[in-house]
Amino acid sequence: MSIVLDGTNGITTPELDSSGPVAGTTADFSGNVTLGSSVLATPTGSAPSYTCRAWVNFNGTATVAIRASGNVSSITDNGTGDYTVNFATAMPDADYSGIVMSGSPGVVDTLNSIVGGNPTSSAFRFTCRSYTAVSTDPVYVNVAIFR
Amino acid sequence: MNRIIYKTDEGGVAVIIPADCGLTIEEIAAKDVPPNTPYEIVDVSQIPSDRTFRGAWSWE
């Protein structure tokens, strides 16, 4: 494998393609890395950084619709304030961290919790409730999965 | 724009909203509908937009 470091043109990695990086590849960067048109800033400090493995932003009201997503094959509308995120590619196990942030303009609070049994490697189900514990459909539902 | 619907164990209706992930809706149905559960692919216009009585939805 050859990696070309060029002060003008950046880093050329001809053996890296859409299938992902070669196993065992490591790199030590002191600046920014550009992937496509996106610049990934090198984090400061020595704490490791972990990327999001799946995410989705959807509208839970009216005709439920996905605004944008990554590694999500679908969402399931199970009922009022009850949704499942189905992963396009499964997680390695069910020990991931599912982060849900939801709400609607003008609404004070929305509480989110895990329901429907334990999370699985292929799906993450949760509910959205008002601060009075009434199931509610938020305008904005954002989910991120870390592992 | 299509949706996948199936009857839940509780007697209600679940609606699957496909994501833009490169899979066909048939592939998503095969993957995301619970095993051995009958389902139907419908146009989104067939799904009510009024969710006031969401818990009362049924599918025959």
Side-chain angles (χ1 to χ4, degrees):
Chain A
M1 156 156 200
S2 73
I3 298 177
V4 179
L5 301 176
D6 186 316
T8 300
N9 298 312
I11 302 169
T12 302
T13 56
E15 295 183 17
L16 301 183
D17 55 26
S18 59
S19 64
V22 175
T25 299
T26 61
D28 182 11
F29 300 106
S30 58
N32 294 332
V33 178
T34 300
L35 295 176
S37 59
S38 299
V39 176
L40 305 179
T42 302
T44 57
S46 59
S49 63
Y50 299 90
T51 56
C52 178
R53 306 292 290 269
W55 63 273
V56 62
N57 174 341
F58 67 91
N59 183 347
T61 65
T63 302
V64 176
I66 296 173
R67 296 187 180 91
S69 65
N71 191 29
V72 168
S73 59
S74 69
I75 58 172
T76 305
D77 161 23
N78 303 297
T80 303
D82 185 342
Y83 311 100
T84 302
V85 175
N86 301 298
F87 307 133
T89 299
M91 298 297 126
D93 54 40
D95 293 338
Y96 52 81
S97 177
I99 312 299
V100 180
M101 175 69 77
S102 67
S104 300
V107 177
V108 177
D109 288 314
T110 303
L111 310 174
N112 307 301
S113 59
I114 297 171
V115 297
N118 297 323
T120 69
S121 61
S122 59
F124 176 64
R125 185 174 179 177
F126 61 94
T127 60
C128 303
R129 299 179 190 278
S130 69
Y131 72 98
T132 55
V134 175
S135 295
T136 186
D137 293 319
V139 173
Y140 295 97
V141 185
N142 300 315
V143 182
I145 304 295
F146 291 87
R147 179 70 176 92
Chain B
M1 295 285 283
N2 289 327
R3 299 288 189 261
I4 304 160
I5 59 175
Y6 64 89
K7 186 178 291 186
T8 65
D9 292 341
E10 298 78 26
V13 177
V15 181
I16 291 180
I17 297 93
D20 183 12
C21 63
L23 297 176
T24 66
I25 194 164
E26 290 81 10
E27 291 171 328
I28 291 172
K31 191 178 82 60
D32 296 342
V33 173
N36 304 314
T37 301
Y39 66 87
E40 184 176 350
I41 297 172
V42 301
D43 189 86
V44 67
S45 63
Q46 294 183 252
I47 306 297
S49 59
D50 184 347
R51 297 173 60 85
T52 306
F53 300 103
R54 175 64 179 84
W57 291 6
S58 63
W59 172 54
E60 302 302 329

